[in-house]
Amino acid sequence: MASEIAGYPAHREGDVVLRDGSTVHVRPLRPDDGAALLDFLRRLSPDSRAQRFHSAGPDLEGAVARATDVDWRDRSGLVALAGIDGRIVGHAGYRRIDGERAEVGFTVADAFQGRGLGTILLAHLAEMAAESGIGTFEAEVAPANLRMLEVFRESGFPLRTRAEPGIVRTELGTSFSPEARERFDRREQIAALAAMRAFFRPRSVAVLGASRSRGTIGGEIFHNLLATGFQGPVYPVNPRAPVVQSVAAYRSVLDVPGPVDLAVVVVPAREVLGVARECAAKGARALVVISAGFAEIGGEGTERQRALLEVCRAAGMRLVGPNCMGVLDTAPEVRLNATFSPAFPPHGRVGFLSQSGALGLAVIDHASGLGLGLSSFASVGNKADISANDLLQYWEEDPGTDLILLYLESFGNPVKFARIARRVGKRKPIVAVKSGRSAAGARAAGSHTGALVAASDVTVDAFFRQAGVIRTDTLGEMFDVASLLANQPVPAGPRVGIVSNAGGPAILCADACEAVGLEVVAFPEEVRTALAGFLPAEASVGNPVDMIASASAEDFRRAIEVVAESGSVDAVVVIFIPPIVTRREDVARAIRDAARGARRKVPFLAVFMSARGVPEELRSEEVRIPSYAFPEDAARALGRAAEYGAWRRRPDGSVPAFPGARRDEAAALLAGALAGGSRWLPPAEAFRLLDCYGLPLVPWRLAPTPEAAGRAAEEIGGEVALKAVAPTLLHKTEAGGVRLSLRAARETERAATEMAGEVERHGHRVEAFLVQRMAPKGVEMIVGVIHDPHFGPVVACGAGGTSAEVLRDVAVRITPLTDLDAGEMVRSLATFPLLEGWRGAPRADVRALEEVVLRVGALVASHPEVAEMDHNPVVVLPEGALVVDARVRVETPVPRAPVAARERAAGSP
């Protein structure tokens, strides 16, 4: 297997999307690819070979031998594979010339030229080279090879060209400039739009497995396409029925007289591969496989799904499903209902994705009941191909979608999801329910950081928070938030005004608002005076405003206007309990009229207790106001929306570069460590690794014997700390493996002798002793990392020392970390006041702690071999911070989602 080849960077394998929406598989070139690469070069047209090798008769065997001589550092390459047989259709490679320069070459199959493959290979190869310390690519391009020159020029990478006799010499920087990132992102969007339009805006649809019988899935999907008035031909395909629901049927999709854009497959799992091949031969652009019996059942189902995906990739078809409910688009010019849902939702501006088909049925029905119109819907099922990442990019550019809802059970490529969601969320809110909050699946951890982060849902919360996604705990809460954001503006701040005709619900609402971080502010005197001018003396004109039960609809309107126009609130919550004298519909009209006439555009939320659903008066075309059954529901929805608004207003921050970091040295150290397999690094190796990234360490020595420990103490000078080094020892204090404030060589030697015996009585074999200068007194924190199998490196910061796992005060973020991420992590801790100077203590250097967090983030983002890391404690001083103890576990990286820069290239033209 490729992953078993020593040094092979398996984590760089992945599928990418071309400009036309089709996909190829990109992976590092291997030494055993020689025959396949030679076959690829021989299949090139004479012109393509001449442009690549500057010769009509190049030595192809020699070129292949040089290309496959790879070490994935100084000599590396990538290949792109397509088709059922996985033939090579593109190759890119570099060879280091000197310290920071490398010669580079690209070759793309004739049939794939102009589809963006060269740009994709360039971006992937540049990232590999940059991580190996190569800053510049050099290439010699034939003057006639205008397409390659255009790839270089349009990439956005820094480019210099120089004309020489017979060649154009080019120099290309390997680091992603902001311009390059923006261009790759835009190209990826274009590819996603091309793919998704075939699903949501097809010109024609074929239903393979269309049934004559209503009540069957094939029967209902075909019926729905006809009943909702799809604006194009719908072809039933059924080899056993000449007519399906009064429409002439076809034995095979190949018999359909016209073109087929979208094929919906509703046949038994064992027949899916056959009909998929027929769809490919027909030229279908999109395939929705409703059928179950694939990866969700494991075993042969997994293999069946792999084969289905290969058929789609070979033909350039994109796939939704399998094991899904289908897709729909409510736009009047489309009216596509390729699902078996009994209801077709009203047209609206909400895009919805569900990973669960059954849940999708319920959601469509519930949305219709709330009057929440959908623009489009997709049930993605097993997500073999199309996922949330594709749909987010489609909805980002869809003028008919203002709000995006997601129900997710798993992440396929969270790195890419986060990058896309951050961009989309700046324009359109994304609300998600992610199932699986329990700790049942948490793995055992071998460090303080692992114990703090594992067995919890904080990683997913941090992931969504960084990406700007509004995470809700339940589907009900998701719809509460959606009803607000689909109909009202995003709050400009956390200040809330509450208007009610009953004191109890108003107090409940105020408590709920405070609990979610909103501020129920005190009204200024002029607001209180204005309210008192028309409300009875018994009313409370503070915040909340309690107008008492006798309040009329006119009282509601005037009070709402005063509060909303005051400038002292960012949102207004109106609560109504039906008394005897005031009618529900009159109050609803008063709320509507006050909102319509408001000059300050703040969000309005209504709470109609003892009533279900949204009053019709709040559903006008001009003004739509969300209505809730209980005050707490409104408060939670508003809290989520306000948090999102704060995220959207926040600047992006920047990922620090740390140019002094010695990445090459760190990579060499880790490569040597991995020669011994996955393991915890000895202290000396761990400290050397940290030093490569400029992490501040206390002076230290490693001593193999008690006598050597004494000499080390004398060399360091002053008071020292002594720590046992044993491979199986995690909590040193409990095993007697720590002695502090030792003053002399003899005292240190004696302590080491005693320590060895005590630690061994606890079942650990002492291999050496770590002698460190005693750190000055300060605030003890922990900074650590755990490598999540889905999200990659997760950096944690919290209260440290021996009580770290007791306090469990920790904040986490996913790499890469920005300067703002580090600041938010530290300031969100319950123990942050200790850093601010608690009870007269000196203020600690918070910026120094933030820099430790950022340097740790940079280290683990650059070196996926670091699986787990602890810095506990990090002592934060009035000036500076010191890492006192460190543990680092390394392991060979396993394949996962491609890293950020590589994903930026996916889908480039």
Side-chain angles (χ1 to χ4, degrees):
M1 295 178 62
S3 59
E4 295 174 352
I5 300 175
Y8 177 75
H11 63 287
R12 291 195 170 277
E13 295 190 6
D15 298 324
V16 295
V17 187
L18 304 181
R19 178 190 297 168
D20 59 3
S22 61
T23 60
V24 296
H25 185 74
V26 173
R27 64 164 173 80
L29 182 69
R30 303 192 303 253
D32 59 358
D33 282 324
L37 186 59
L38 181 61
D39 175 67
F40 161 64
L41 295 177
R42 285 172 173 166
R43 284 186 279 113
L44 293 173
S45 68
D47 283 347
S48 292
R49 270 198 303 271
Q51 288 178 358
R52 170 62 182 88
F53 296 105
H54 310 291
S55 169
D59 176 12
L60 296 183
E61 288 81 1
V64 167
R66 288 188 296 273
T68 53
D69 177 23
V70 291
D71 61 3
W72 302 292
R73 182 170 178 76
D74 297 328
R75 306 176 306 280
S76 193
L78 294 165
V79 288
L81 312 176
I84 296 176
D85 55 355
R87 301 177 83 183
I88 294 177
V89 296
H91 167 252
Y94 72 77
R95 297 179 72 86
R96 192 188 298 264
I97 301 171
D98 55 32
E100 295 186 358
R101 306 175 74 83
E103 182 183 14
V104 68
F106 297 85
T107 316
V108 175
D110 294 80
F112 281 78
Q113 292 176 12
R115 295 166 64 180
L117 182 54
T119 307
I120 290 173
L121 292 173
L122 169 59
H124 289 207
L125 196 68
E127 185 183 53
M128 292 177 71
E131 288 192 0
S132 297
I134 294 172
T136 302
F137 278 157
E138 294 184 1
E140 295 180 354
V141 183
N145 196 355
L146 298 178
R147 184 164 279 166
M148 195 69 246
L149 290 171
E150 183 182 2
V151 167
F152 287 160
R153 185 173 58 253
E154 293 298 318
S155 69
F157 287 103
L159 174 68
R160 290 192 303 173
T161 61
R162 185 173 74 253
E164 296 183 1
I167 63 168
V168 178
R169 191 174 298 279
T170 63
E171 290 187 359
L172 198 72
T174 61
S175 61
F176 276 88
S177 65
E179 180 185 11
R181 294 178 191 277
E182 184 177 346
R183 290 190 182 188
F184 282 122
D185 283 348
R186 181 57 189 156
R187 289 162 181 158
E188 186 182 36
Q189 286 177 276
I190 292 170
L193 284 168
M196 296 314 304
R197 282 191 182 121
F199 291 99
F200 289 131
R201 301 295 174 103
R203 294 166 299 178
S204 58
V205 181
V207 181
L208 291 85
S211 174
R212 293 172 292 184
S213 304
R214 293 289 309 279
T216 63
I217 293 178
E220 291 304 307
I221 290 176
F222 185 70
H223 168 79
N224 286 345
L225 284 163
L226 298 178
T228 54
F230 171 65
Q231 301 295 298
V234 181
Y235 303 109
V237 176
N238 187 327
R240 290 177 288 277
V243 176
V244 172
Q245 299 182 38
S246 302
V247 179
Y250 302 89
R251 293 184 58 81
S252 163
V253 70
L254 297 173
D255 298 330
V256 171
V260 173
D261 281 350
L262 172 64
V264 183
V265 177
V266 200
V267 300
R270 64 181 180 276
E271 299 176 16
V272 167
L273 281 180
V275 299
R277 292 189 182 99
E278 292 183 351
C279 290
K282 181 66 178 175
R285 297 176 57 210
L287 201 66
V288 175
V289 177
I290 308 293
S291 314
F294 291 84
E296 77 279 4
I297 66 172
E300 65 174 318
T302 301
E303 177 58 27
R304 187 180 293 131
Q305 182 167 307
R306 185 197 61 77
L308 171 63
L309 190 56
E310 285 186 356
V311 170
C312 293
R313 285 178 179 148
M317 289 189 301
R318 300 304 301 274
L319 168 67
V320 165
N323 184 34
C324 72
M325 184 187 127
V327 299
L328 62 81
D329 190 301
T330 66
E333 68 274 19
V334 180
R335 295 191 62 80
L336 170 77
N337 186 3
T339 76
F340 49 92
S341 170
F344 190 62
H347 177 56
R349 306 189 66 80
V350 179
F352 183 71
L353 172 148
S354 176
Q355 197 170 337
S356 164
L359 194 63
L361 290 170
V363 163
I364 290 174
D365 183 62
H366 190 64
S368 301
L370 292 174
L372 194 64
L374 300 184
S375 60
S376 48
F377 165 85
S379 162
V380 293
N382 293 0
K383 297 191 301 182
D385 180 18
I386 295 294
S387 70
N389 299 333
D390 303 282
L391 286 155
L392 283 178
Q393 295 189 97
Y394 174 79
W395 284 322
E396 178 184 14
E397 295 299 316
D398 178 24
T401 300
D402 294 331
L403 173 67
I404 299 167
L405 306 183
L406 308 174
Y407 171 76
L408 302 172
E409 295 174 350
S410 63
F411 292 105
N413 189 336
V415 174
K416 184 176 180 182
F417 176 93
R419 176 179 57 80
I420 295 170
R422 272 193 293 268
R423 186 184 71 235
V424 176
K426 292 293 184 180
R427 295 175 52 194
K428 300 180 180 183
I430 304 169
V431 187
V433 173
K434 166 66 174 67
S435 60
R437 277 192 176 270
S438 73
R443 67 181 180 88
S447 66
H448 296 285
T449 303
L452 290 170
V453 175
S456 73
D457 200 44
V458 295
T459 302
V460 177
D461 277 338
F463 174 73
F464 279 133
R465 188 183 303 112
Q466 285 176 263
V469 176
I470 304 168
R471 184 184 190 183
T472 62
D473 295 326
T474 65
L475 286 168
E477 188 183 353
M478 180 181 75
F479 279 108
D480 287 343
V481 175
S483 296
L484 171 58
L485 292 175
N487 299 304
Q488 293 289 301
V490 176
R495 303 171 302 168
V496 184
I498 301 170
V499 177
S500 176
N501 65 344
I507 294 171
L508 288 174
C509 185
D511 289 345
C513 285
E514 296 281 359
V516 295
L518 298 170
E519 300 173 11
V520 184
V521 294
F523 289 146
E525 185 61 33
E526 59 268 24
V527 175
R528 297 167 65 90
T529 300
L531 291 168
F534 62 88
L535 293 177
E538 297 85 359
S540 170
V541 294
N543 191 14
V545 178
D546 177 9
M547 300 183 298
I548 70 174
S550 60
S552 66
E554 179 63 12
D555 291 333
F556 269 94
R557 185 189 66 78
R558 294 178 66 182
I560 295 167
E561 287 179 348
V562 168
V563 172
E565 298 295 338
S566 68
S568 58
V569 300
D570 302 304
V572 179
V573 179
V574 184
I575 304 172
F576 174 70
I577 291 185
I580 298 174
V581 293
T582 307
R583 298 193 311 163
R584 173 178 182 261
E585 54 268 31
D586 293 338
V587 172
R589 275 191 290 270
I591 297 171
R592 179 198 64 197
D593 293 345
R596 183 166 50 197
R599 287 169 295 181
R600 291 186 69 247
K601 295 305 177 185
V602 300
F604 293 87
L605 298 83
V607 178
F608 279 78
M609 300 184 72
S610 303
R612 290 191 175 276
V614 180
E616 285 300 322
E617 293 79 6
L618 301 183
R619 293 190 182 190
S620 71
E621 288 299 319
E622 188 178 355
V623 178
R624 300 179 70 88
I625 297 172
S627 180
Y628 303 90
F630 298 103
E632 298 89 343
D633 298 334
R636 278 192 295 268
L638 182 57
R640 302 287 192 189
E643 186 179 349
Y644 164 71
W647 174 84
R648 198 163 72 170
R649 292 188 298 273
R650 190 189 81 163
D652 290 336
S654 59
V655 178
F658 298 119
R662 306 191 304 278
R663 291 175 173 81
D664 288 354
E665 185 180 333
L669 189 154
L670 290 167
L674 285 172
S678 300
R679 62 191 179 101
W680 289 96
L681 295 184
E685 291 183 20
F687 285 139
R688 282 198 290 270
L689 177 64
L690 303 189
D691 186 62
C692 289
Y693 278 79
L695 284 153
L697 305 170
V698 295
W700 62 276
R701 300 285 189 279
L702 192 67
T705 64
E707 295 78 12
R711 291 192 296 271
E714 191 170 356
E715 291 173 9
I716 292 173
E719 291 189 332
V720 299
L722 179 71
K723 300 174 184 178
V725 177
T728 58
L729 182 59
L730 173 60
H731 302 293
K732 300 181 185 71
T733 304
E734 289 88 331
V738 178
R739 298 286 180 88
L740 304 177
S741 302
L742 303 175
R743 295 180 179 274
R746 188 178 297 277
E747 184 180 1
T748 304
E749 181 180 340
R750 183 170 58 250
T753 303
E754 295 170 355
M755 180 183 291
E758 187 170 354
V759 170
E760 289 179 7
R761 283 194 293 274
H762 281 80
H764 306 285
R765 183 175 60 84
V766 176
E767 292 185 344
F769 301 93
L770 180 66
V771 185
Q772 297 172 293
R773 179 176 295 163
M774 284 293 296
K777 294 292 185 182
V779 181
E780 293 191 352
M781 306 295 291
I782 181 173
V783 178
V785 176
I786 187 167
H787 199 102
D788 186 277
H790 301 291
F791 302 107
V794 180
V795 179
C797 176
T802 57
S803 58
E805 291 177 38
V806 176
L807 295 176
R808 301 194 69 81
D809 180 25
V810 65
V812 305
R813 294 291 187 275
I814 315 296
T815 58
L817 297 182
T818 68
D819 51 353
L820 292 179
D821 288 328
E824 288 181 356
M825 289 174 73
V826 173
R827 286 162 179 79
S828 69
L829 297 171
T831 48
F832 178 68
L834 296 177
L835 295 164
E836 287 279 88
W838 181 253
R839 293 190 173 181
R843 294 170 65 92
D845 190 344
V846 173
R847 289 192 178 278
L849 175 60
E850 292 173 4
E851 184 168 335
V852 169
V853 171
L854 290 169
R855 287 183 180 274
V856 167
L859 190 162
V860 296
S862 297
H863 303 286
E865 302 86 357
V866 177
E868 209 164 343
M869 177 182 283
D870 253 355
H871 305 127
N872 184 31
V874 175
V875 178
V876 190
L877 307 170
E879 290 188 16
L882 288 170
V883 176
V884 176
D885 202 1
R887 284 170 54 84
V888 179
R889 185 171 66 85
V890 297
E891 65 182 18
T892 302
V894 296
R896 67 172 188 92
V899 292
R902 186 165 186 249
E903 285 301 342
R904 289 185 186 92
S908 305

